[in-house]
Amino acid sequence: MPHSLEETLTRAGSRVTPQRRSIIALLAASSDHPTAEILHLRLRERGVPVSLATVYRTLRVLCQAGLVQEHDFGDGALRFEADRGDQHGHLVDLSQGGVFDFVDDRLTRLLGDIADHHGYGVVASRVSILARPLGSTTLTPLAPRLALLSGANA
């Protein structure tokens, strides 16, 4: 049974403040996986008096409480999304920097089959596909960083 924001934060030892309510509401309404800086800017544009430090602290508390998920898609910025309780993957557009959620039953079955083959049952999974639009040959700001991470230039 899902708990309210108040119950979840209280159990985590945190207070429910207007700023925390605003941050979780904004994340719940966002589909673009914003960074803390983007969240801060959007909150300020809406007239919410909040510091960037408060946004960072609140995101940490919300992540620890299981209300928000933190993602690192390799672009040097942590991105956040409200935890909606569903299993979905992320398609990261390397040419434009967009992040799109997707659900694919075939992938879900495949992940289950892989886990089962090794004697495990899937509890949760995280799938991020880093991709470029078909036909695109443009190098992106992520390309050199990803090459280093993969050891391609080692």
Side-chain angles (χ1 to χ4, degrees):
M1 179 172 157
H3 297 282
S4 69
L5 175 64
E6 290 85 0
E7 290 174 296
T8 302
L9 289 176
T10 300
R11 275 190 280 112
S14 299
R15 294 179 306 126
V16 179
T17 64
Q19 291 88 352
R20 287 184 177 154
R21 283 184 191 278
S22 296
I23 291 168
I24 194 71
L26 184 57
L27 272 175
S30 298
S31 62
D32 62 344
H33 306 79
T35 64
E37 291 81 6
I38 291 171
L39 279 171
H40 179 246
L41 178 65
R42 290 177 184 169
L43 289 163
R44 301 289 299 215
E45 288 172 349
R46 288 167 173 74
V48 177
V50 62
S51 70
L52 183 57
T54 296
V55 172
Y56 275 110
R57 277 192 305 272
T58 299
L59 287 170
R60 187 181 67 245
V61 167
L62 295 172
C63 285
Q64 290 170 346
L67 296 171
V68 170
Q69 292 181 0
E70 176 185 273
H71 300 286
D72 182 351
F73 297 120
D75 60 357
L78 294 176
R79 296 171 179 264
F80 300 89
E81 70 176 324
D83 188 337
R84 295 174 177 90
D86 66 345
Q87 291 289 327
H88 65 273
H90 297 99
L91 178 63
V92 182
D93 179 343
L94 295 176
S95 64
Q96 299 295 318
V99 179
F100 307 96
D101 292 343
F102 70 88
V103 176
D104 189 314
D105 292 337
R106 298 168 300 170
L107 180 58
T108 303
R109 283 191 302 275
L110 178 61
L111 293 172
D113 290 347
I114 291 169
D116 185 59
H117 176 76
H118 293 281
Y120 290 87
V122 175
V123 174
S125 64
R126 287 192 175 196
V127 175
S128 297
I129 301 172
L130 309 180
R132 260 189 224 77
L134 295 176
S136 172
T137 58
T138 307
L139 286 178
T140 66
L142 283 180
R145 178 173 156 88
L146 293 174
L148 287 174
L149 292 173
S150 69
N153 291 337

